[in-house]
Each structure stands twice: as C-alpha cells, then as structure tokens.
C-alpha cells in the first residue's frame, strides 16, 4: 500500500501536509497533520461509485476558520468539564470556559488547531501515519507535560484504525476523540440513515448539556438505537423527552456496553448508497451528535465520538479518566467499511 504526501498549506510558518492512504480496493483516506484531521474518506459502493464518507473543506483556511472540530482529533479532554474547573489531589484547576460556562473539547488550546509532527509507514497490507504532539504543564489550565501519539492505519480489509497513546509527568485527566462528520448517504439530511448503538443508557444532562451524574434508560425514548433504526424514526416519534427536546436532535453521551473486540459498538448504514460503517472502540462512552434536526439548516452529517464521559473529572461515579505518571493512556477507535 502507498501513501501520497502533498502540500496543503502553512500555519504560522509550519507546513501542513495531506497524506493520502490507498488500499487495493480503491478506498482512500486523506489525513492532515493540522489537527490530526481526517480530511476525506472515499469508499466504493457495490456499483463501484466512490462515496464521500465525511464532510470536508477544500482549503486549509476552511479548517482554520471552522468552529466545529470537523474531522479533528480532540484533546486534552473531549466534551465538557463543568464550569471550567476540577479538583485533583486537593488542588483546584481552572480551565478555559469556551463552551458557555464550561470547558469544551480541551479549551482554547485544543489539539484540533495545532500542527502535529508526522511520520509514515508503508507495507503490503497496510499504510500508517503517526502524528505526535507535546503539550506543556498548565496549557489550557491542565496539569502535566504530556506527549501524545495518534497512529492512523488503513488496511486491505477496508478498516481505518486510530490508536492514541499518551504519557504525562503529573496526574491529569485525558480523553481524546475523533470528530469526523460522517456522510455515508448522498442525501442532504441524515434522517433516513440507519444507526445502531450498543448502549442501554445515556448520561442524563442539564440544559447546558452538562451531565447530572445520573444515567437514563434509553427504552421508550428517542435515544433507543439498540437495533438498527432510521434516525428520523427516533427524532419524530411520539412521546419525546426533555433531554432530546433541549437539543431538538442528538448531542448525547451513550454508555457503551462491554463487548468483544469483534463486536461493533455502533453501526451506520445508508440505504441509498449501500455503504455500512461499523465502529469499534475501547473507550467507555460515545457522543452521538446531529445538532438540531428540527431546523431547516441541518448538518447533513452525524458524529460518533468515542470518549470518556463528559465531566468525568468531577464525577467519581463515572469511569476513571485520570492518568498518572507511571501509567500510559492507550485507546483505540476503528472504522470498518463495507457495501452491498
């Protein structure tokens, strides 16, 4: 397999390159060392038509100006940390409040706007790009000097995997995610796209989408995607829920069940193109995001963001998100594409 490297632009004197990985099945993935972004995924359907599977910008300036984390690796901490603060080892840390009253997706120094170092590796059955980044103690208010590596690999089985590892010299909360906006369908809206999420609960949240600490059963609510279901079927069902009405769509953390590594945590299928994507992850939560589905100006895409639970640094009952100096953060996200 081969990797084509081309110049995509420059940020503050740093070169931004596009890395295009291609397998023998005509699947291509283009990555940027700006934000660790997935710029493009093209996958052939059963008719041989190349389907553009993520939203993209044609220029680097589009990504620089983009406020929506499109395609990027998000960190140091994905999602919200309540009121921009948490306490660790009897010390209170104050973070950027860039999401209303909360810290969102790592704050103003988020990794989605940084230029990462990159190295490539090719073999007969896979192609990989490893992005690396250092973040200093106190950046964005977070403790610890950390180093992060994010390795994307495309193989001949039409799988794109992302392995993120990190180390720190001080105990610190870490949670990285991939924020691609998926478009398996050619339709302008995502209502007819089918979705399954292997979760029986979501984290309940207040009007600012900050978790209350409680878990909500998805049964008989718009959040029930325990079987493959059209998104609009849940969005338009009678008997809505205040948590859904707060968004008018989906922006909620699903509590993933523990399954074998060969069982997907989520499945997305577009009936018009015949393309299916299975998502596998080692992380405990999955943010399903469509934004509002009640407005005419819709995203036309969906996000599935594997993550630690939002506000986990302030919620001891949530899965542990803290990493100590003698430990290594390592989590995986894998997307497997197929067509019929």
């Amino acid at each position: 397999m081969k990797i084509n490297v081309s110049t995509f632009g420059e940020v503050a004197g740093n070169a931004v390159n596009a890395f295009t990985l291609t397998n023998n099945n005509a699947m291509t993935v283009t990555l940027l060392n700006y934000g660790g972004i997935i710029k493009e995924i093209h996958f052939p359907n059963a008719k041989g038509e190349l389907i553009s599977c993520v939203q993209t910008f044609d220029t680097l300036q589009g990504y620089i100006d983009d406020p929506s984390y499109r395609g990027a690796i998000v960190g140091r901490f994905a999602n919200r940390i309540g009121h921009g603060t948490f306490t660790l080892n009897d010390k209170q840390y104050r973070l950027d409040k860039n999401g209303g009253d909360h810290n969102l997706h790592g704050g103003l120094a988020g990794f989605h706007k940084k230029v990462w170092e990159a190295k490539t590796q090719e073999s007969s059955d896979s192609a990989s790009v490893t992005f690396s980044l250092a973040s200093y103690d106190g950046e964005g208010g977070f403790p610890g000097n950390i180093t992060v590596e994010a390795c994307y690999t495309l193989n001949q089985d039409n799988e794109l995997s992302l392995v993120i590892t990190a180390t720190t010299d001080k105990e610190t909360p870490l949670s990285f995610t991939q924020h691609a906006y998926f478009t398996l369908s050619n339709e302008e809206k995502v209502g007819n796209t089918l979705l399954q999420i292997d979760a029986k609960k979501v984290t309940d949240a207040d009007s600012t989408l900050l978790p209350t600490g409680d878990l909500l059963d998805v049964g008989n609510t718009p959040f029930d995607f325990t079987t493959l279901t059209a998104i609009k079927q849940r969005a338009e069902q009678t008997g809505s829920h205040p948590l859904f009405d707060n968004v008018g769509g989906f922006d909620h953390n699903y509590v993933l069940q523990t399954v074998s590594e060969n069982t997907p945590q989520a499945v997305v299928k577009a009936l018009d193109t015949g393309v299916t994507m299975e998502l596998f992850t080692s992380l405990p939560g999955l943010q399903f995001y469509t934004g509002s589905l009640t407005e005419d100006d819709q995203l036309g895409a969906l996000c599935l963001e594997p993550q630690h639970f939002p506000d986990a640094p302030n919620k001891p009952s949530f899965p542990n998100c803290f990493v100590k100096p003698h430990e290594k953060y390592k989590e995986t996200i894998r997307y497997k594409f197929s067509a019929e």
Side-chain angles (χ1 to χ4, degrees):
M1 293 178 58
K2 293 293 184 181
I3 301 174
N4 179 67
V5 183
S6 59
T7 301
F8 193 63
E10 185 178 289
V11 176
N14 297 305
V16 175
N17 291 325
F19 302 81
T20 300
L21 291 59
T22 306
N23 70 11
N24 293 346
N25 305 315
M27 179 179 177
T28 64
V29 175
T30 298
L31 310 167
L32 303 179
N33 62 318
Y34 179 76
I37 285 170
I38 296 177
K39 181 182 182 294
E40 296 174 358
I41 298 176
H42 286 99
F43 183 73
N45 67 7
K47 299 177 181 178
E49 302 165 332
L50 282 179
I51 305 302
S52 178
C53 296
V54 295
Q55 288 185 342
T56 185
F57 291 109
D58 293 332
T59 66
L60 177 58
Q61 194 62 45
Y63 288 104
I64 293 171
D65 295 339
D66 176 41
S68 63
Y69 307 88
R70 203 166 308 254
I73 294 174
V74 171
R76 288 187 182 193
F77 198 91
N79 217 302
R80 292 165 179 82
I81 296 178
H83 311 292
T85 185
F86 67 92
T87 299
L88 175 62
N89 299 325
D90 298 323
K91 180 177 179 180
Q92 185 180 37
Y93 292 90
R94 297 189 180 277
L95 315 173
D96 301 327
K97 291 184 178 181
N98 64 314
D101 190 42
H102 309 308
N103 179 267
L104 178 65
H105 287 336
L108 300 176
F111 293 175
H112 62 295
K113 298 295 186 183
K114 294 182 180 293
V115 177
W116 298 54
E117 296 293 325
K119 60 180 180 180
T120 62
Q121 184 173 354
E122 301 172 352
S123 70
S124 60
D125 56 4
S126 68
S128 299
V129 181
T130 300
F131 297 122
S132 59
L133 188 70
S135 178
Y136 61 83
D137 182 25
E139 185 175 34
F142 288 93
N145 295 292
I146 69 168
T147 57
V148 185
E149 283 196 348
C151 180
Y152 287 98
T153 301
L154 176 66
N155 66 20
Q156 301 287 26
D157 295 324
N158 302 324
E159 294 176 322
L160 174 65
S161 64
L162 171 59
V163 179
I164 301 182
T165 58
T167 57
T168 179
D169 62 359
K170 286 184 182 178
E171 187 172 3
T172 193
L174 293 178
S175 176
F176 306 96
T177 194
Q178 219 304 324
H179 211 302
Y181 285 63
F182 291 104
T183 56
L184 304 191
S185 169
N186 287 329
E187 297 179 356
E188 292 185 0
K189 300 181 180 181
V190 298
N192 289 321
T193 298
L194 306 182
L195 175 66
Q196 180 179 358
I197 301 176
D198 192 15
K200 296 182 178 179
K201 296 179 184 293
V202 295
T203 49
D204 199 6
D206 65 17
S207 61
T208 67
L209 296 178
L210 187 73
T212 62
D214 296 328
L215 304 181
L216 172 72
D217 289 331
V218 301
N220 300 313
T221 75
F223 308 110
D224 186 357
F225 289 95
T226 51
T227 59
L228 204 60
T229 305
I231 291 171
K232 72 176 183 180
Q233 181 178 332
R234 289 289 176 254
E236 297 172 358
Q237 72 180 45
T238 56
S240 189
H241 192 280
L243 186 60
F244 176 85
D245 295 339
N246 186 32
V247 178
F250 298 96
D251 190 6
H252 305 93
N253 175 63
Y254 281 72
V255 179
L256 296 176
Q257 300 194 89
T258 302
V259 294
S260 72
E261 64 179 20
N262 295 318
T263 302
Q265 277 75 30
V267 179
V268 184
K269 183 174 183 178
L271 296 177
D272 62 325
T273 63
V275 173
T276 295
M277 182 186 78
E278 297 173 304
L279 183 150
F280 306 79
T281 185
S282 58
L283 285 153
L286 183 71
Q287 190 83 4
F288 170 41
Y289 177 70
T290 62
S292 176
L293 297 174
T294 61
E295 300 174 0
D296 290 336
D297 185 18
Q298 295 180 22
L299 285 176
L302 63 92
C303 299
L304 293 171
E305 307 158 49
Q307 61 183 2
H308 276 284
F309 292 4
D311 204 33
N314 293 310
K315 300 287 192 299
S317 63
F318 285 178
N320 175 57
C321 66
F322 290 101
V323 179
K324 297 179 180 179
H326 64 275
E327 299 172 335
K328 186 174 186 178
Y329 176 102
K330 182 179 180 180
E331 302 290 356
T332 62
I333 303 169
R334 178 164 55 98
Y335 312 98
K336 183 176 177 64
F337 291 81
S338 60
E340 60 182 28

